[in-house]
Amino acid sequence: EDKVVQSPLSLVVHEGDTVTLNCSYEVTNFRSLLWYKQEKKAPTFLFMLTSSGIEKKSGRLSSILDKKELFSILNITATQTGDSAIYLCAVARNTDKLIFGTGTRLQVFP
Amino acid sequence: DGGITQSPKYLFRKEGQNVTLSCEQNLNHDAMYWYRQDPGQGLRLIYYSQIVNDFQKGDIAEGYSVSREKKESFPLTVTSAQKNPTAFYLCASKPGQGADYEQYFGPGTRLTVT
């Protein structure tokens, strides 16, 4: 059965800390891996990763995919209170369907 | 402004009643999706549609129905057959078929059934 597992489930840090969120997957016909940020309502898109070893970066956020070991990490450096959210990892197969992990809830305190 | 709208934001219903959640997009996207999100769980796919007048069941379609009569609209009906309908419902859309595009999400509808 296809599955996507995120860890940790929950994380509490102070502003300025660096965090690493993990996403492992077992999915047939893998096509791409996506990261979303969900604050209160609509998840917003962060990254799409299709190739191993190529880091994608946006400001303080970066992500990389390892297709051999079947995982991805999302790094956030110098965290801010505005980074508090649920971070969702999803895998796209060679179909139009995404499989989501349970998410990691990040809380950043001043 | 281009985007996805869902209405209403909050919906309360009595058990045994059918309820329809609205999802509209003006992004000219071909594919549309309905997900359900429960506390501590990821998003689970209910139904999706890749083209007008066609839709497929997702992983948890039982107790739900959809229609896709127009490209911009994909309403979801939660029927009385759905055993645990209280949840947060998210609609999404994507341009074209194939997995090389991200899905864009609406703001969601929180349904409470008592």
Side-chain angles (χ1 to χ4, degrees), chain B residues 6 17 22 32 42 45 79 93 95 98 114:
Chain B
Q6 291 185 244
Q17 293 179 332
S22 167
M32 296 186 75
L45 183 65
T79 75
S93 70
T114 57

Side-chain angles (χ1 to χ4, degrees), chain A residues 11-98:
Chain A
L11 197 51
V12 179
V13 300
H14 289 288
E15 269 193 318
D17 289 349
T18 293
V19 297
T20 298
L21 310 183
N22 303 291
C23 176
S24 64
Y25 62 91
E26 291 178 31
V27 173
T28 54
N29 299 316
F30 173 93
R31 180 93 177 238
S32 60
L33 186 144
L34 296 88
W35 285 97
Y36 285 88
K37 176 183 181 181
Q38 185 179 26
E39 293 182 75
K40 292 205 173 167
K41 295 178 181 176
T44 53
F45 172 75
L46 295 174
F47 299 111
M48 178 185 285
L49 303 155
T50 55
S51 301
S52 269
I54 298 175
E55 184 183 55
K56 292 226 174 173
K57 200 168 169 66
S58 176
R60 296 175 294 102
L61 278 66
S62 64
S63 184
I64 198 161
L65 173 67
D66 186 327
K67 289 169 75 173
K68 184 180 175 185
E69 300 297 329
L70 308 182
F71 77 92
S72 173
I73 59 171
L74 175 68
N75 278 322
I76 309 175
T77 59
T79 52
Q80 302 171 356
T81 54
D83 294 326
S84 296
I86 296 173
Y87 289 84
L88 298 166
C89 172
V91 172
R93 292 169 288 184
N94 283 333
T95 63
D96 270 338
K97 294 162 65 173
L98 292 179

Side-chain angles (χ1 to χ4, degrees), chain A residues 31-32 34 36 38 40-45 48 50 86 88 92-103, chain B residues 9 31 33 35 37 40-43 45 48 50 59 88 90 94 96-103 105-107:
Chain A
R31 180 93 177 238
S32 60
L34 296 88
Y36 285 88
Q38 185 179 26
K40 292 205 173 167
K41 295 178 181 176
T44 53
F45 172 75
M48 178 185 285
T50 55
I86 296 173
L88 298 166
R93 292 169 288 184
N94 283 333
T95 63
D96 270 338
K97 294 162 65 173
L98 292 179
I99 305 170
F100 280 85
T102 54
Chain B
K9 288 183 182 177
Y33 306 80
Y35 293 93
Q37 188 175 31
Q41 297 197 40
L43 277 64
L45 183 65
Y48 67 108
Q50 295 174 302
D59 301 315
F88 186 52
L90 283 162
K94 181 169 75 71
Q97 297 186 30
D100 292 335
Y101 303 97
E102 68 270 21
Q103 292 182 15
F105 285 86

Side-chain angles (χ1 to χ4, degrees), chain B residues 14-48:
Chain B
K14 296 279 189 189
E15 207 173 298
Q17 293 179 332
N18 290 355
V19 59
T20 297
L21 311 184
S22 167
C23 177
E24 304 276 331
Q25 54 97 2
N26 60 4
L27 300 167
N28 199 33
H29 286 175
D30 291 311
M32 296 186 75
Y33 306 80
W34 272 107
Y35 293 93
R36 169 185 174 134
Q37 188 175 31
D38 294 282
Q41 297 197 40
L43 277 64
R44 293 184 290 167
L45 183 65
I46 304 172
Y47 267 99
Y48 67 108

